[in-house]
Amino acid sequence: LEIGESFIFPGDGSSHTRVRFRMMVFRPDMEEVVVGKIKNCSPQGVQVSLEFFDDILIPADSLQHPSRYDDQENVWIWEYPLEDGEHHDLFMDPGEQVRFRVVSESFVDVGPTKPSGTAETENQDEVKQPPFSLQATINEPGLGLLSWWNSS
């Protein structure tokens, strides 16, 4: 909201500036039900986006049962059982709104990064983890794609 004058103190080469700002913190409660959009699907599960936060994973074992992954279309499919023993395929397409329950959160201290140019082979093997991520479930009545539960 406000940026003051910058100062460079003797013996210190950095700029010091007084600022006034607002901060929004996102940390949903455990077991909270949230609505987001499917970002993509993979054999590991469904990644969900809230537009401002994308590190939400619904693992494959937390989807409705029975579900299967379609490699051709890169989507998960819930095989909704019908009374006659058959099933109806309900697709989890990217861009669809999904209602999910938060079951766990993960904080990772990413700390400062190493200077570039040192031990580049080590950095290539490292998998970057987000500093904050959520795991969720949709394997409960009323959870899943909103289109599944809307009555027409």
Side-chain angles (χ1 to χ4, degrees), residues 33-82:
V33 175
V34 182
V35 175
K37 282 188 180 179
I38 295 177
K39 185 172 181 181
N40 63 48
C41 296
S42 70
Q44 289 74 34
V46 176
Q47 185 178 5
V48 178
S49 172
L50 297 177
E51 306 279 331
F52 63 91
F53 183 74
D54 292 339
D55 296 315
I56 303 168
L57 177 68
I58 303 171
D61 61 347
S62 295
L63 300 172
Q64 280 89 352
H65 297 292
S67 289
R68 72 178 191 278
Y69 183 71
D70 185 337
D71 288 320
Q72 303 284 323
E73 296 190 36
N74 292 326
V75 296
W76 278 93
I77 302 167
W78 178 25
E79 298 174 341
Y80 183 76
L82 300 174

Side-chain angles (χ1 to χ4, degrees), residues 93-115:
D93 293 316
E96 292 284 332
Q97 288 193 317
V98 62
R99 181 180 296 121
F100 59 91
R101 181 180 307 280
V102 176
V103 293
S104 71
E105 63 185 6
S106 172
F107 287 100
V108 177
D109 183 9
V110 292
T113 59
K114 296 177 184 175

